[in-house]
Amino acid sequence: ASPRRWLAACALVTACVLVPGARAQAALPEAAHPTRPAWEGAIGLQLNNSPQYQGSDQREYALKPGLYLRWGRFYLATASNFVTRHDDEVARGFGAELVQREDLRVHLGLRLDPGRKSSASADLAQQDDVRQTVRARIAAVWQPTHDWRFGAGWSNDILARQGGALVDFGLAREFRAGPRSVVSLGAILSWGD
């Protein structure tokens, strides 16, 4: 799909989601909205263990800076797991929460995708390089009960540099190990072209 079609689809989804979401939020009692500071954030270091490239069975370690800033509905994050609260749902990059309900959250975000060099691994020697691009992602997390979470997301190369699209579906079950401790078990199914 062309970037224009993709952006038009995002605008339509945003319009469809924001209006009903705003009505549903207004209907919730004030006690259902936990008070959050206008600004919050975290700075630190992350030790990452990840595949050399997506789909590789070779893994590598890297020490990277971690940054998370939130202002109202907008956030900037270097990783999806680097947040100040365990129930925050963010994607790497710059994003916005389109829907903020207790049982449903919808996010739209942008991030820089560094691409892939064929020189990164001997397994890629016969492959073409994948150019750096910008990816847009829309994702939703539905939490019908306090302990169960279901999620889905779609990410696409909006500069049409042959970065392809990624789709993922996931579910997670949380177990309260104590008043301030949570154990979460989950699975994610991903597909990419």
Side-chain angles (χ1 to χ4, degrees), residues 1-10 133-136 154-166 191 193:
S2 74
R4 285 184 186 158
R5 285 186 186 166
W6 194 91
L7 291 173
C10 283
T133 191
V134 175
R135 299 189 73 81
W154 178 61
S155 172
N156 196 24
D157 170 7
I158 63 173
L159 298 182
R161 292 184 173 172
Q162 300 180 338
L166 297 169
W191 173 86
D193 69 358

Side-chain angles (χ1 to χ4, degrees), residues 5 43 81-82 93 101 150 169 171:
R5 285 186 186 166
I43 298 174
N81 60 357
F82 197 77
R101 293 189 346 214
F150 300 90
F169 299 95
L171 66 93

Side-chain angles (χ1 to χ4, degrees), residues 90-162:
V90 300
R92 186 168 31 122
F94 174 74
E97 282 190 344
L98 305 179
V99 176
Q100 294 175 310
R101 293 189 346 214
E102 205 166 299
D103 64 334
L104 178 67
R105 290 186 179 180
V106 179
H107 306 266
L108 181 63
L110 295 172
R111 74 172 175 89
L112 184 65
D113 183 337
R116 183 191 72 206
K117 298 282 188 191
S118 58
S119 59
S121 169
D123 296 336
L124 298 173
Q126 303 301 317
Q127 302 291 322
D128 293 333
D129 289 347
V130 177
R131 292 169 47 197
Q132 180 174 306
T133 191
V134 175
R135 299 189 73 81
R137 177 175 168 81
I138 188 158
V141 175
W142 176 50
Q143 192 165 356
T145 68
H146 190 66
D147 298 330
W148 284 95
R149 296 157 63 113
F150 300 90
W154 178 61
S155 172
N156 196 24
D157 170 7
I158 63 173
L159 298 182
R161 292 184 173 172
Q162 300 180 338

Side-chain angles (χ1 to χ4, degrees), residues 41-48 63-69 78-79 82-83:
I43 298 174
L45 290 174
Q46 290 186 298
L47 178 61
N48 291 335
L63 191 62
K64 297 181 178 180
L67 173 69
Y68 170 70
L69 296 173
T78 57
F82 197 77
V83 294

